Amino acid sequence: MAIVIIRQDGKIPEWKEALSAASPSIPIYSYLEEHPKEAIEMALVWKHPPGALRPYKNLKCISGSGAGVDFIFNDKEAPLHLPITRVVDQVLAKDMSEHVIGVILAYLKNLYTYKVDQANKVWRPLPYRRMGDYTIGILGMGALGVVLAKDLLHFGFPVQGWSNSEKDIETVKSFVGKNELSGFLSTTQVLVCLLPLTENTTGILNKALFQQLPKGAFVINVARGGHLVDEDLLEMLDNGHLSGAGLDVYHQEPLPVSHPFWAHPKIHMTPHYASVSDTRSVVPQILENYKRLQAGEPLLNLVSKERGY
């Protein structure tokens, strides 16, 4: 009985070392090394190559090593009849929250504009905005969205959230379902996308949605590149309806050097690093699920295949 790690970001040795240190008795393999494929019962994956799970005939569980699992469903050869788990981690959530708050504060205090002015040697003092005057709308109130909402409240931001089910967070207005999306958007001045990527949310950040935001709204996408229609964002920035965007995720990563986002003065980019799973924090829940798998017990953080998250 063993675990195989399948990922393409160069971090397999880091994860292998952390898992082995925490539980030396469990054989841990990289999919790139020689290993007994028939012994593999759990695959720990992150944006694995399509078809990479096919050789493991005795696989019992696919364990995502991050909060998102859309890449698993995108693998047409993945054994989706097996249990799929994801990471629910407070460290990951806090890292995401800190990143988003940093982006919001830089926007409110004109730091992005001043950076452009600096490059152009322009001295241009601008009126700044205060936290209490801007309503932050969180699109997707899962584990990450809830932590962000609570942190924003501590800073004094008015906060509201939209999700498929009502969330009960004191002083955070909850909008639910398609019928309440327009009301949510019309009163949101900074929109933060934290939705899971599913068939229903692919392309949700489009022109029709942007037009429902107040003129001058700022958009932050830290979820998945597939949520955004790139051309629609560019159009709404260029016509002045949106004042700017903070992006951490893209359709193709790394973003091609020819992409217009690189040179756009109203788009502020980071390289998909808003929050990264910390092995020290995540490994215990991975190993707990492995033990539960062996004992035939219910797994933690199971993904709903109907919802896709």
Side-chain angles (χ1 to χ4, degrees):
M1 310 304 109
I3 299 173
V4 66
I5 305 171
I6 311 176
R7 52 194 303 145
Q8 303 180 86
D9 57 359
K11 293 185 177 181
I12 290 179
E14 174 185 338
W15 281 87
K16 186 176 180 180
E17 180 181 354
L19 287 162
S20 297
S23 189
S25 63
I26 300 176
I28 312 292
Y29 299 102
S30 162
Y31 82 110
L32 298 173
E33 65 183 326
E34 287 294 326
H35 60 284
K37 294 180 175 59
E38 69 281 355
I40 301 300
E41 293 192 336
M42 174 183 278
L44 180 61
V45 298
W46 179 250
K47 296 188 176 180
H48 61 279
L53 295 167
R54 189 174 57 246
Y56 303 105
K57 306 304 181 184
N58 295 319
L59 195 63
K60 294 182 179 178
C61 173
I62 305 170
S63 175
S65 55
V69 292
D70 50 284
F71 63 94
I72 298 175
F73 290 101
N74 289 338
D75 180 2
K76 304 306 180 185
E77 299 183 64
L80 299 181
H81 62 283
L82 296 176
I84 300 170
T85 64
R86 66 188 184 98
V87 165
V88 177
D89 178 53
Q90 284 298 302
V91 173
L92 187 73
K94 291 295 285 186
D95 287 350
M96 177 65 78
S97 178
E98 290 176 9
H99 175 92
V100 171
I101 290 170
V103 172
I104 293 171
L105 292 176
Y107 165 65
L108 293 183
K109 300 306 176 184
N110 300 311
L111 301 189
Y112 294 129
T113 304
Y114 290 145
K115 191 64 180 176
V116 174
D117 286 351
Q118 179 183 344
N120 295 321
K121 299 182 175 63
V122 173
W123 182 275
R124 183 171 53 139
L126 297 169
Y128 50 77
R129 312 163 185 91
R130 295 184 175 89
M131 291 181 283
D133 296 335
Y134 269 67
T135 298
I136 314 299
I138 303 171
L139 193 62
M141 290 292 288
L144 299 178
V146 168
V147 170
L148 174 60
K150 292 179 178 179
D151 286 349
L152 287 167
L153 290 175
H154 288 307
F155 278 87
F157 284 103
V159 183
Q160 56 191 28
W162 180 88
S163 54
N164 287 323
S165 59
E166 188 169 0
K167 306 299 179 183
D168 185 14
I169 305 173
E170 189 174 356
T171 73
V172 175
K173 187 172 182 179
S174 178
F175 293 80
V176 181
K178 292 181 179 179
N179 292 337
E180 296 186 6
L181 180 58
S182 293
F184 164 78
L185 294 169
S186 67
T187 52
T188 289
Q189 292 158 299
V190 177
L191 179 70
V192 183
C193 181
L194 278 171
L195 289 166
L197 185 62
T198 67
E199 288 184 5
N200 292 330
T201 64
T202 297
I204 191 171
L205 298 178
N206 56 35
K207 183 176 180 179
L209 181 142
F210 295 146
Q211 287 175 328
Q212 296 177 70
L213 293 168
K215 183 176 174 58
F218 188 86
V219 173
I220 299 171
N221 187 19
V222 285
R224 286 289 184 269
H227 289 116
L228 178 64
V229 179
D230 294 0
E231 297 78 9
D232 289 1
L233 175 64
L234 290 166
E235 178 183 346
M236 298 302 281
L237 289 170
D238 291 342
N239 69 20
H241 185 76
L242 297 178
S243 60
L247 305 179
D248 186 59
V249 290
Y250 313 90
H251 285 274
Q252 183 179 341
E253 298 176 357
L255 190 68
V257 295
S258 60
H259 199 286
F261 283 178
W262 285 108
H264 201 289
K266 294 182 181 179
I267 293 178
H268 315 291
M269 295 167 45
T270 49
H272 200 157
Y273 224 70
S275 65
V276 179
S277 295
D278 187 321
T279 55
R280 294 168 298 178
S281 180
V282 171
V283 158
Q285 65 180 270
I286 301 296
L287 294 175
E288 174 62 24
N289 263 346
Y290 182 80
K291 294 173 185 175
R292 288 173 176 241
L293 190 67
Q294 300 304 308
E297 298 174 353
L299 301 179
L300 303 173
N301 306 321
L302 270 173
V303 170
S304 165
K305 293 167 189 175
E306 291 72 30
R307 297 196 307 264
Y309 59 92

